Amino acid sequence: MEEKLVEFANLLRENGVRVSLAETLDAFSASEVTGLGERDVFRAALRSTMVKRASELPVFEELFDVYFSGLGEIIKQASKAVQDALSMSDQEFQKFLEDVEKMLQKEGKKLSELAKQLLQNNSGALEKRLREAARAAKLKGIERTIEENYFARALARELGLDKIEAEIKELREQLEKMDLGQAMKARMEEYLERRLKALEDIIRRYVRMEREKRDIRQREDQRMNQIAEKSFYYLSEDELKKMQEAVQKLAQRLKNVIAIRRKRAKKGRFDIKRTLRNNLDCGGVPFKLRFERRKKEKPQVVILCDVSDSVRNASRFMLQFVYSLQDLYSRVRSFIFVSDIGEVTEHFRTNDIKDALDVALKGDIINVYAHSNFGFAFRSFVADHIGAINKRTTVIVLGDARNNYNLPHDWCLREIRQRAKRIIWLNPESRNTWGFGDSEMERYAVHCDMVEECRNLNQLYRVVDHLVVR
Amino acid sequence: MFSSIDEVIERFAKNNYIASRRIATVIYLASSLKKPILVEGPAGVGKTDLAKVLAASLGHELIRLQCYEGLDEGKALYEWEYAKQLLYTQILKDKISEVLTGAKGLTEAVDRIAREDEVFFSERFVLPRPLLKAITSEKQSVLLVDEIDKADAEFEAFLLELLSDFQISVPELGTLTAKHIPLVILTSNNAREMSDALKRRCLHLYIDFPDRKQELAIVRLKVPEAADKLAEEVVAVVQSLRKLDLKKTPGISETLDWVKALTLLNVQKLDEELVNETLDTIVKYEGDVRKAQEELKDYVRRVRARRGADATGSSDKDLLN
């Protein structure tokens, strides 16, 4: 069992569930306490010791089903199928099996262990033997559907299926000579036949199950990697949802880091007044010291986000990120533009995230169906909102810098740069394409302190890490 | 202690808590393995109740620590009783001549004072807070660390020693080890992800909203005086509201509140007007109320249509399906 649990833990890990060694050990002791008898209890024991994130529960459930219902279940089903084929009730079948056992004791002394186990319906022993054979046949290495036949043959060879076939044939010949009733004989014969078929069936299904197990691994692996690396442009509905969670987590991480940093910021001067007041209950003896709080540094952020059609998905995430940022800093002003530029700060402050994004992207504030015109947007910004920027402001521009061959007006950016603390440009387009066609990235980049490609989640993570470190 | 999973279910049931087999298994494991449980899940599914019922069903004292932002060791663990210490200092000052009589030389005098000094940092002056109380308690206790996600990451790290070894270090006194290992339940609404270190030390229990049957059973158990029909309808409505994208999804506690309120008003079954008037018992934001009203209009329409269709048959039973 322990071996099985270790393997299960590995399977979980390969599917992105973090299971530490200590947790595997906990799973051992937990399963010792609960025992293996009751499936749901066993499942709960593993679930509570190995999975610590609600988001990972579905993976666990899926894998548990594949992994633990596995072989035992298949053998049970096969046995049931035999019973059904003979159309016997549970009781009849039980009695019949006893008959079989008697017959085996009399006639089948020469039979191999495996054949006995099979005919006596000893599923526990059968399962063990199948697992041993599977190990010898290196079944765990199976990867593709076309390999199923090969592995089924290898498994049959390891089990000694041809030997069993011969044994059962012999048994049938002996059966002929025995003085059983005609009906009983026919029944026995059919039973032997069906059992042999059932074993073949079990082998086939076992192989397929193992293959599916690997498949889940690969599928999950790929999916996880893909989402983080996949460009914002090509996300499906489902992926969009996952991505939103990820962005929210990212913002949360940022919050944590900033909260810790604020707390660690050095304490200010000794505050006599507050110290005395706080120590009145000790007769004015200063047991608890109080310090003045340092004046908070108030970083300001101004965000200019391109919401044109070409970067729709990307700007969605960026805006979501902006929304979370707004929680974080007291002074964030957010602007969106395509050609016109409009402020969405208030909308983001008062609406919940979904409504806010809808408002921003639906075209209520600016015409989002226009052709991108960065130059015009920058010029309007400088004309109308330049007052938003001072020496403490970090300006973040999100956009692909595709200007439709309009005038770039890069002098606007220079003007902004002169007033601001720094400008960071995040571009959701691949770096190779910057500067080609109508991309004005290179012209704008001159005025920026930092220009980063930001086309998938991993890159966004990196950018944020970079921002936070400073 | 519990001797089996069934016993957990039984004893919890006696305390008006319907524990699923999964929950009971985790409780049983925690009590046999002496491990804390981290309970997660949406608000209002009975996480805190779990601890209360656990304490009640074992007859242990429940020690509760409510977490919040800025909670520090002083508030959670212990504080020195400054005022009392000060008082003793005064006494010492008065008695100092007595203490020093007969002392030969400065060294001996200082030694004597030092001996008295040690009194100040002894357990006599420690004001135990929940965590220390749970550790030093003479009897077995249940420690509830509620909403751990509201506390800062530093506090979480501070808890680790307690959770893995059931001991606490007080710098002036040394390490205090638990006389009886308390059963610990931590709850979290997932406002913040807990650290891996914390999760590794705990069993994890995720409680989700109950399905309709379970919730109905809970309502019947907790508000037995409610009319059957009313209970069914309320549960159906709440279950359908949970499918909406609300800012705050109604929990079991809201369902119970609503049923209680309606029962107090002597209501036998729901109608549109009544729902609109009492909706704010279960939905707590204005935006949510609007969404809920829309949904309920649909709901009532569906029920009406069904009622029309089944007018001849036994319509009452299927009204809610």
Side-chain angles (χ1 to χ4, degrees):
Chain A
M1 192 61 218
E2 292 187 0
E3 197 184 330
K4 238 185 137 190
L5 276 178
V6 171
E7 203 192 319
F8 184 57
N10 278 332
L11 195 63
L12 285 173
R13 271 182 216 129
E14 280 165 41
N15 282 296
V17 180
R18 271 182 275 171
V19 186
S20 69
L21 186 62
E23 281 160 338
T24 313
L25 290 174
D26 281 346
F28 286 163
S29 24
S31 60
E32 260 165 37
V33 171
T34 58
L36 307 177
E38 203 181 328
R39 196 178 150 76
D40 279 345
V41 170
F42 177 57
R43 182 197 286 256
L46 294 196
R47 194 175 134 124
S48 64
T49 46
M50 296 174 117
V51 191
K52 306 288 168 82
R53 276 172 200 75
S55 58
E56 291 168 352
L57 284 174
V59 180
F60 170 83
E61 295 292 330
E62 193 181 351
L63 286 177
F64 184 91
D65 280 339
V66 174
Y67 196 76
F68 285 101
S69 64
L71 189 51
E73 195 64 25
I74 290 177
I75 294 175
K76 231 179 273 166
Q77 281 172 9
S79 163
K80 185 91 178 84
V82 171
Q83 182 187 339
D84 286 348
L86 296 173
S87 57
M88 286 192 239
S89 73
D90 286 352
Q91 270 174 338
E92 280 174 321
F93 192 56
Q94 208 53 45
K95 189 156 174 312
F96 180 74
L97 283 178
E98 280 164 26
D99 289 343
V100 171
E101 194 167 349
K102 264 183 234 150
M103 181 193 79
L104 286 177
Q105 266 167 10
K106 245 191 332 209
E107 304 293 332
K109 288 206 181 73
K110 299 186 299 288
L111 282 187
S112 68
E113 277 300 306
L114 179 63
K116 276 188 199 160
Q117 285 156 5
L118 178 66
L119 294 178
Q120 285 169 0
N121 201 21
N122 184 349
S123 41
L126 198 58
E127 182 177 342
K128 192 159 166 254
R129 188 160 292 243
L130 269 161
R131 284 198 191 284
E132 281 163 14
R135 204 168 307 148
K138 301 200 170 44
L139 183 55
K140 299 245 175 300
I142 190 167
E143 272 172 4
R144 279 185 290 270
T145 324
I146 46 164
E147 292 173 331
E148 274 182 28
N149 276 334
Y150 165 79
F151 276 102
R153 275 199 305 276
L155 187 57
R157 205 179 316 121
E158 289 295 337
L159 269 177
L161 188 68
D162 44 348
K163 196 163 151 249
I164 299 177
E165 271 171 16
E167 280 179 310
I168 287 184
K169 201 170 157 215
E170 204 176 308
L171 203 59
R172 282 170 77 172
E173 280 160 15
Q174 280 177 6
L175 204 63
E176 286 299 315
K177 293 176 216 139
M178 280 196 285
D179 52 340
L180 290 166
Q182 200 58 44
M184 185 62 189
K185 241 181 214 170
R187 224 175 207 193
M188 270 303 181
E189 210 156 297
E190 185 166 10
Y191 178 69
L192 293 178
E193 181 79 12
R194 294 265 176 202
R195 267 295 176 197
L196 196 62
K197 279 256 165 58
L199 184 61
E200 285 167 18
D201 194 38
I202 289 170
I203 291 174
R204 249 201 334 275
R205 289 179 59 186
Y206 184 26
V207 170
R208 185 174 320 141
M209 180 187 78
E210 280 298 322
R211 203 254 309 151
E212 278 170 2
K213 227 189 263 180
R214 307 303 124 173
D215 252 16
I216 295 177
R217 265 181 214 193
Q218 286 167 0
R219 213 168 48 222
E220 285 286 325
D221 263 3
Q222 282 165 3
R223 205 165 65 205
M224 290 311 289
N225 281 336
Q226 270 173 8
I227 287 187
E229 281 292 338
K230 206 167 174 178
S231 162
F232 291 135
Y233 293 106
Y234 310 108
L235 292 169
S236 68
E237 268 306 300
D238 198 36
E239 287 169 330
L240 279 175
K241 232 181 224 158
K242 280 226 159 111
M243 193 65 125
Q244 280 175 6
E245 281 167 31
V247 170
Q248 231 144 30
K249 278 215 180 107
L250 180 65
Q252 187 62 44
R253 192 165 96 187
L254 200 58
K255 267 183 215 177
N256 284 344
V257 171
I258 288 177
I260 289 172
R261 181 166 317 152
R262 278 192 190 148
K263 206 168 270 180
R264 285 197 190 141
K266 272 186 197 149
K267 285 177 178 169
R269 274 190 310 157
F270 180 57
D271 184 341
I272 300 177
K273 254 199 263 169
R274 286 213 316 139
T275 304
L276 283 179
R277 192 173 310 140
N278 271 300
N279 286 291
L280 279 178
D281 53 348
C282 311
V285 180
F287 274 102
K288 298 171 238 173
L289 303 184
R290 290 287 178 262
F291 296 89
E292 271 172 4
R293 287 209 172 255
R294 272 268 174 88
K295 223 182 189 174
K296 265 188 211 157
E297 192 190 335
K298 283 191 183 141
Q300 301 182 355
V301 181
V302 167
I303 290 160
L304 305 177
C305 186
D306 173 15
V307 291
S308 65
D309 228 19
S310 58
V311 291
R312 181 56 56 84
N313 262 351
S315 47
R316 214 183 160 79
F317 290 109
M318 293 302 183
L319 282 175
Q320 203 174 357
F321 187 61
V322 170
Y323 184 90
S324 318
L325 270 184
Q326 212 162 315
D327 263 4
L328 203 61
Y329 295 104
S330 48
R331 297 182 187 195
V332 178
R333 291 186 67 176
S334 321
F335 296 87
I336 53 174
F337 65 91
V338 175
S339 162
D340 296 330
I341 191 159
E343 182 164 5
V344 290
T345 313
E346 266 322 294
H347 292 283
F348 276 28
R349 196 160 286 155
T350 47
N351 289 327
D352 68 10
I353 186 154
K354 233 181 113 226
D355 294 344
L357 288 186
D358 279 351
V359 168
L361 295 176
K362 231 169 47 196
D364 293 354
I365 298 188
I366 55 162
N367 177 10
V368 292
Y369 303 105
H371 292 290
S372 298
N373 188 342
F374 280 70
F376 184 76
F378 287 153
R379 217 178 54 177
S380 326
F381 181 80
V382 169
D384 299 338
H385 302 287
I386 193 74
I389 293 175
N390 60 34
K391 269 288 161 221
R392 290 203 301 264
T393 315
T394 300
V395 179
I396 303 179
V397 186
L398 310 161
D400 58 4
R402 296 241 161 240
N403 202 24
N404 284 316
Y405 302 105
N406 292 309
L407 286 175
H409 291 303
D410 44 328
W411 58 270
C412 296
L413 222 49
R414 192 178 67 225
E415 195 135 307
I416 295 173
R417 174 68 192 91
Q418 277 166 1
R419 288 169 161 260
K421 188 173 164 198
R422 57 178 168 169
I423 299 183
I424 297 168
W425 190 303
L426 305 179
N427 191 330
E429 239 186 27
S430 164
R431 203 177 268 271
N432 316 331
T433 63
W434 294 0
F436 287 96
D438 59 346
S439 169
E440 299 285 359
M441 198 59 236
E442 288 177 344
R443 204 187 281 259
Y444 288 136
V446 181
H447 304 291
C448 300
D449 299 71
M450 181 178 154
V451 181
E452 287 289 334
E453 176 183 313
C454 185
R455 51 192 275 105
N456 61 39
L457 198 57
N458 280 345
Q459 284 173 343
L460 185 58
Y461 270 123
R462 249 170 282 163
V463 170
V464 168
D465 272 344
H466 199 79
L467 282 178
V468 169
V469 170
R470 294 222 165 156
Chain B
M1 285 300 109
F2 301 104
S3 62
S4 71
I5 294 170
D6 291 317
E7 195 191 336
V8 178
I9 296 179
E10 213 172 284
R11 285 214 220 168
F12 272 47
K14 267 189 207 139
N15 285 289
N16 281 355
Y17 193 101
I18 299 180
S20 69
R21 210 156 175 76
R22 192 158 58 73
I23 294 177
T25 305
V26 178
I27 297 278
Y28 176 65
L29 280 175
S31 80
S32 343
L33 297 175
K34 303 261 178 284
K35 272 189 155 283
I37 310 177
L38 173 64
V39 190
E40 286 188 306
V45 291
K47 298 190 292 290
T48 306
D49 255 15
L50 191 70
K52 289 186 193 160
V53 171
L54 177 63
S57 65
L58 286 169
H60 292 340
E61 186 193 359
L62 178 72
I63 298 173
R64 180 171 179 167
L65 173 68
Q66 175 67 47
C67 296
Y68 50 87
E69 219 170 303
L71 174 67
D72 58 12
E73 300 171 36
K75 304 236 173 57
L77 186 51
Y78 68 91
E79 252 176 324
W80 292 105
E81 276 191 277
Y82 298 117
K84 214 164 156 194
Q85 279 175 332
L86 197 70
L87 205 63
Y88 274 61
T89 325
Q90 298 292 342
I91 298 173
L92 185 67
K93 224 176 75 249
D94 296 341
K95 299 274 173 198
I96 195 129
S97 54
E98 253 173 65
V99 173
L100 292 183
T101 34
K104 285 177 200 118
L106 189 61
T107 325
E108 201 187 332
V110 173
D111 278 351
R112 281 195 196 184
I113 293 179
R115 220 176 303 144
E116 303 294 326
D117 217 24
E118 272 166 25
V119 170
F120 287 95
F121 290 105
S122 67
E123 283 179 51
R124 191 189 312 224
F125 293 103
V126 171
L127 203 62
R129 301 285 191 209
L131 295 184
L132 190 63
K133 232 191 253 171
I135 287 280
T136 53
S137 166
E138 288 301 325
K139 281 182 290 176
Q140 173 103 58
S141 59
V142 173
L143 172 64
L144 166 64
V145 182
D146 213 8
E147 307 196 2
I148 173 80
D149 51 327
K150 298 267 164 30
D152 316 304
E154 291 135 66
F155 181 75
E156 194 186 318
F158 158 76
L159 269 184
L160 294 179
E161 183 188 3
L162 176 81
L163 292 181
S164 55
D165 301 327
F166 295 100
Q167 60 179 37
I168 285 174
S169 304
V170 179
E172 295 87 349
L173 295 180
T175 304
L176 300 171
T177 314
K179 291 180 186 129
H180 302 274
I181 292 181
L183 284 168
V184 185
I185 291 199
L186 306 121
T187 74
S188 157
N189 281 335
N190 223 351
R192 163 173 86 74
E193 179 110 351
M194 298 290 109
S195 71
D196 282 347
L198 181 94
K199 288 186 164 172
R200 202 161 52 234
R201 283 165 174 79
C202 301
L203 298 175
H204 187 263
L205 176 62
Y206 183 78
I207 307 185
D208 208 345
F209 291 121
D211 60 28
R212 212 163 93 184
K213 229 172 88 199
Q214 273 175 308
E215 188 159 23
L216 197 55
I218 295 171
V219 170
R220 293 241 163 89
L221 187 75
K222 299 259 182 179
V223 197
E225 65 274 20
D228 276 1
K229 189 151 175 47
L230 176 72
E232 265 174 46
E233 286 186 341
V234 165
V235 169
V237 168
V238 174
Q239 293 262 344
S240 68
L241 285 186
R242 282 198 194 120
K243 294 200 188 91
L244 299 181
D245 181 23
L246 298 181
K247 206 162 169 184
K248 157 94 184 65
T249 312
I252 301 177
S253 38
E254 272 90 4
T255 313
L256 292 175
D257 284 348
W258 203 23
V259 174
K260 273 181 209 156
L262 291 171
T263 307
L264 271 180
L265 296 173
N266 208 8
V267 173
Q268 299 295 320
K269 59 186 203 185
L270 286 179
D271 61 53
E272 200 169 344
E273 199 181 331
L274 206 62
V275 168
N276 279 338
E277 276 168 16
T278 53
L279 198 60
D280 41 4
T281 336
I282 47 170
V283 192
K284 312 283 163 110
Y285 287 94
E286 207 188 301
D288 287 0
V289 171
R290 247 177 291 125
K291 277 187 205 162
Q293 274 168 344
E294 282 302 307
E295 166 72 14
L296 284 172
K297 255 182 223 151
D298 278 359
Y299 174 79
V300 170
R301 206 172 303 136
R302 276 202 306 275
V303 170
R304 284 228 183 95
R306 208 170 272 272
R307 201 173 284 175
D310 294 350
T312 49
S314 57
S315 59
D316 279 356
K317 241 180 199 161
D318 301 329
L319 217 69
L320 296 158
N321 290 328

